Amino acid sequence: MSERIPRATSSGAGRVLIAVYAIFALSATARAGVQIAGRFSEAPVAYLLSALAGVVYILATIGLAGHGPGYRKLAWAAVAFELAGVLVVGTLTVFDGADFPDDTVWSVYGRGYGFVPLVLPIIGLWWLRHTRAR
Amino acid sequence: MIDALVIVVLVATGALAVLGIGTTVRNRPPGRVHTLAVGAVEALLVIQAVIAAARVFGGVPLPESTTFLIYLVVSVCVLPIALQFATAEPTRWGGTVIAVAAIATGVAVLRLQGLWAAGGV
């Protein structure tokens, strides 16, 4: 076996990661859908952010579940964006809650979701690194 | 929602999570026990969903009935999909996939209970 071929991100423990991402993709997208359809004018920024988070989780799930370099690039980009998102939104909401009248998945580093949104991208990046070609 | 059934469902999803993690710890792939356990928990979830949906459509007023119904659908859909995904590749991690789904389902049921209680019924 060549050592240069990357291992599949969708195998073994990676399947647990994909399961968690899929659940977050589902819950963030469903939540954003209800918010935007029902009461968009109340907090448009927060609801658009919820939708963006949902899309990022969907892309990360697809990237991790797929095989090949394209999917791996997609997973890297989505997970890195997710980490940046949770850090930026988390920090903004800690220091100034006024701009975010309603909670998003990433508010206060994902406190409403047991801080899983903060830990998840870190594990995701580690997993992508762990399974890369070397 | 019926309080007693909510408690039974939460205990069942908790037990399923423990079973799943235990399987991973013992380094075994998910087997027949898991299929039966998921089936049993799923049966409880379907009963709960049918009763709750019947009461919502029957006119019980809820402040966020759309959100409630979405959570209701999620509560019955996650476990069957997870079982499929967990058994598709027979490794030790299948158990943890089931456990993650069981915990997520438990959280969805807790949110359902919260939304139901907000309706004051």
Side-chain angles (χ1 to χ4, degrees):
Chain A
M1 291 288 281
S2 168
E3 290 266 307
R4 292 208 150 273
I5 298 167
R7 287 190 287 144
T9 49
S10 61
S11 199
R15 294 179 85 77
V16 177
L17 195 59
I18 292 167
V20 178
Y21 266 104
I23 286 165
F24 270 86
L26 177 69
S27 60
T29 312
R31 179 180 188 161
V34 171
Q35 288 172 334
I36 289 172
R39 43 175 195 273
F40 183 64
S41 55
E42 282 177 28
V45 176
Y47 297 161
L48 284 176
L49 207 57
S50 281
L52 176 67
V55 171
V56 170
Y57 285 122
I58 290 170
L59 292 177
T61 308
I62 294 169
L64 288 168
H67 296 272
Y71 284 106
R72 185 173 282 273
K73 276 195 192 116
L74 175 65
W76 269 114
V79 176
F81 187 91
E82 180 201 349
L83 181 61
V86 72
L87 290 176
V88 169
V89 175
T91 306
L92 285 175
T93 46
V94 163
F95 288 107
D96 183 14
D99 281 346
F100 293 89
D102 212 341
D103 268 356
T104 71
V105 188
W106 292 338
S107 295
V108 198
Y109 305 110
R111 184 179 57 188
Y113 292 80
F115 294 106
V116 175
L118 180 61
V119 180
L120 196 55
I122 296 168
I123 297 173
L125 289 175
W126 170 80
W127 180 247
L128 282 165
R129 202 180 129 81
H130 182 75
T131 55
R132 78 194 192 283
R134 59 191 155 177
Chain B
M1 301 287 277
I2 299 165
D3 287 350
L5 187 54
V6 170
I7 292 166
V8 171
V9 167
L10 289 177
V11 170
T13 52
L16 184 58
V18 171
L19 172 71
I21 290 168
T23 313
T24 299
V25 171
R26 288 189 297 123
N27 203 2
R28 299 253 179 83
R32 196 174 145 72
V33 178
H34 297 79
T35 308
L36 292 174
V38 170
V41 177
E42 184 65 17
L44 291 172
L45 289 163
V46 169
I47 292 168
Q48 176 176 253
V50 168
I51 294 172
R55 292 179 72 178
V56 169
F57 288 115
V60 171
L62 288 180
E64 296 199 55
S65 55
T66 312
T67 310
F68 183 85
L69 291 173
I70 289 172
Y71 270 117
L72 213 52
V73 172
V74 168
S75 75
V76 293
C77 286
V78 170
L79 275 176
I81 298 168
L83 179 66
Q84 197 68 32
F85 188 62
T87 50
E89 187 193 79
T91 67
R92 63 184 306 194
W93 296 105
T96 306
V97 169
I98 294 171
V100 165
I103 292 165
T105 304
V107 171
V109 172
L110 275 176
R111 295 264 158 112
L112 278 169
Q113 178 62 22
L115 289 167
W116 187 264
V121 283

